[in-house]
Amino acid sequence: MGRSRRPATALEAFFDLERFLARSATAHAGLPELERESERRGREVLRLALQAHLDGRGHGDVGPALVADGPDGPVRLSHKRLHTRRLLTIFGEVSVTRTGYGARGQPSIHPLDAELCLPARTYSYEICRRLTRAAVCGPFAEAIALIADMTGVVVPMRSAEAIVKDAAADFEDFYATRAGKAPGPREILVGAIDCKGIPMVKPDGAQKVVRRRKGEKANKKKMATVAAVYSQAPCVRTPEEVLDSLFASPDAPARRQRRPRPAAKRVWASLTADKDSFIADVRAEMVRRDPRHRRTWVMVTDGERALQRRVANTFKGVTLVLDLLHAMDKLWKVAYVFNPEGSPGAVAFVRDRAERILTGQVSQVVKGLRQMVTKRGLKGEKAKTVRDVANYYYANRERMLRPLPQQGLADRQRLGRRRVQEPCACALRTLRHALDRRCGRTRPSAARRLPLR
């Protein structure tokens, strides 16, 4: 199945594809080879068809001269010359020859560029769109390899970073000018804020270190602030229902409760904005949705005291709720002090204390943990782990079960679990998947992709 000369027209390329498939049937070629070669030849058919279309559009000649606006008034561009530029598309490389109008000391203007919506760079807008979508889901190297595999176009790393940076240029302005969707009559407005450390690689030209100091890591982390805002209809759940969803056995019959899904969810993150400015942006998003504060507002955070203070200062009079998943992580740490990891005893330990927390007995859980340190004679790291968790619960006890106006216990117990916090947790999972990879990124590079994620 040797390759013949390269076809000159799309019709020749199509006939070449037909002949290849006919020869493959005689040679009993396998499907993998057929797929790869048919894709390559089919892409050539489309490339030549696109090239023929561009050639048929003419050169964009609009007359003997063109008058354009200049800094000192109208400028007459009467010097005409044909210019050819190459363009990399999803089908391969094509060329566009167009008429340029210029004058001494003035850049040339090509009317055909505006008619065809040609990009300023070599890569077509469709290549840029696909590269951006791939880059926000993983490392740049994987995005470049994916585009090369799909289109045959290899985009250098520096160009890929510039394309993604341009794609994120209007992110803040877009959300600042659009009208937010107001919550429904029975919905609450939820905001969730969290922080995530992202490993950074050293930029090019950074000073090399012969030997790192004790405890120093190759890639330092930069904290990204993550937020989610959405509307949520109330979903009353008992502590038992919450525990069943947390500790459901694979063999137990599934008891699915139809719950309303979050509406008008927006999730975003930033590496460059300071926390106060970022929290102010979250409040601005919630104000756009509920300008007169007619709905109940709820803010979900983890147990970081500095973050909680910033949120409380910005959202005065708003209910603050501790993320239950963060609280559960602490319980598991204590459980593994007294039980082997993954043992039934550890599961029973966590379930018992989680049930007490959900029924409003946070102070009793704190008291019990502190007594365990004394009664069991814990020392060293084990004692420190249990005391730290007890202090964590004590410091956040008001945010773990805080009554809302005209709401009962069952209503407020659902606030710290799943449907309130899932969007922020989803954003963190996206960040971990996309940025906590083997290849970290420099701060400017990561900051470009975070808004798009």
Side-chain angles (χ1 to χ4, degrees), residues 181-320:
K181 184 179 179 181
R186 296 184 60 251
E187 292 181 336
I188 60 176
L189 188 58
V190 183
I193 301 178
D194 207 340
C195 296
K196 169 61 182 173
I198 299 176
M200 299 284 107
V201 299
K202 295 179 180 179
D204 295 336
Q207 183 178 2
K208 301 296 183 180
V209 179
V210 177
R211 182 177 178 83
R212 292 189 292 273
R213 295 187 296 271
K214 183 178 180 180
E216 185 180 2
K217 296 182 179 179
N219 300 325
K220 295 183 178 180
K221 287 191 175 183
K222 172 68 178 177
M223 293 301 293
T225 313
V226 191
V229 175
Y230 58 98
S231 303
Q232 174 68 61
C235 178
V236 179
R237 292 200 293 167
T238 64
E240 290 74 17
E241 291 173 332
V242 175
L243 291 173
D244 288 343
S245 66
L246 286 170
F247 299 93
S249 172
D251 302 329
R255 295 184 301 173
R256 293 186 175 273
Q257 178 185 3
R258 188 174 183 84
R259 294 178 292 184
R261 298 180 62 84
K265 180 174 63 177
R266 178 193 171 192
V267 182
W268 75 104
S270 176
L271 261 177
T272 56
D274 61 88
K275 290 184 180 180
D276 291 331
S277 300
F278 190 84
I279 294 172
D281 291 340
V282 175
R283 189 180 188 282
E285 176 69 19
M286 298 178 74
V287 169
R288 278 194 293 270
R289 302 185 183 208
D290 187 15
R292 299 185 180 181
H293 210 321
R294 292 180 174 178
R295 303 289 178 258
T296 298
W297 288 18
V298 174
M299 289 301 300
V300 182
T301 66
D302 61 6
E304 182 187 350
R305 302 297 292 170
L307 179 61
Q308 289 178 348
R309 283 193 293 267
R310 285 187 168 98
V311 172
N313 291 336
T314 304
F315 292 86
K316 297 185 182 298
V318 176
T319 301
L320 301 183

Side-chain angles (χ1 to χ4, degrees), residues 88-109:
L88 294 175
T89 71
I90 58 175
F91 308 125
E93 181 178 338
V94 296
S95 62
V96 182
T97 301
R98 66 263 201 267
T99 301
Y101 290 82
R104 184 180 297 274
Q106 298 292 330
S108 296
I109 294 179

Side-chain angles (χ1 to χ4, degrees), residues 21-96:
L21 293 175
R23 292 195 306 270
S24 299
T26 305
H28 303 288
L31 181 61
E33 180 185 358
L34 288 173
E35 284 183 303
R36 288 191 298 268
E37 192 63 21
S38 297
E39 180 187 30
R40 186 189 68 80
R41 294 172 183 263
R43 191 184 299 138
E44 182 66 9
V45 173
L46 295 174
R47 187 191 72 82
L48 291 171
L50 179 60
Q51 181 66 70
H53 173 81
L54 294 175
D55 294 340
R57 294 288 288 266
H59 299 155
D61 193 329
V62 295
L66 187 68
V67 178
D69 294 331
D72 300 326
V75 178
R76 188 173 187 271
L77 307 177
S78 58
H79 183 70
K80 295 171 56 176
R81 180 174 294 180
L82 290 179
H83 297 150
T84 301
R85 61 171 295 189
R86 62 191 289 265
L87 193 68
L88 294 175
T89 71
I90 58 175
F91 308 125
E93 181 178 338
V94 296
S95 62
V96 182

Side-chain angles (χ1 to χ4, degrees), residues 80-155:
K80 295 171 56 176
R81 180 174 294 180
L82 290 179
H83 297 150
T84 301
R85 61 171 295 189
R86 62 191 289 265
L87 193 68
L88 294 175
T89 71
I90 58 175
F91 308 125
E93 181 178 338
V94 296
S95 62
V96 182
T97 301
R98 66 263 201 267
T99 301
Y101 290 82
R104 184 180 297 274
Q106 298 292 330
S108 296
I109 294 179
H110 304 86
L112 188 60
D113 286 6
E115 181 183 337
L116 292 174
C117 297
L118 297 185
R121 52 171 50 95
T122 306
Y123 305 99
S124 69
Y125 284 125
E126 184 60 22
I127 285 283
C128 296
R129 186 187 70 84
R130 297 189 182 189
L131 176 65
T132 301
R133 289 179 63 90
V136 299
C137 297
F140 277 110
E142 292 184 8
I144 292 171
L146 178 63
I147 295 300
D149 187 54
M150 293 173 58
T151 67
V153 176
V154 179
V155 183

Side-chain angles (χ1 to χ4, degrees), residues 159-175:
S159 298
E161 292 183 350
I163 289 172
V164 174
K165 179 182 178 181
D166 291 346
D170 299 325
F171 177 84
E172 287 81 6
D173 293 339
F174 170 77
Y175 280 102

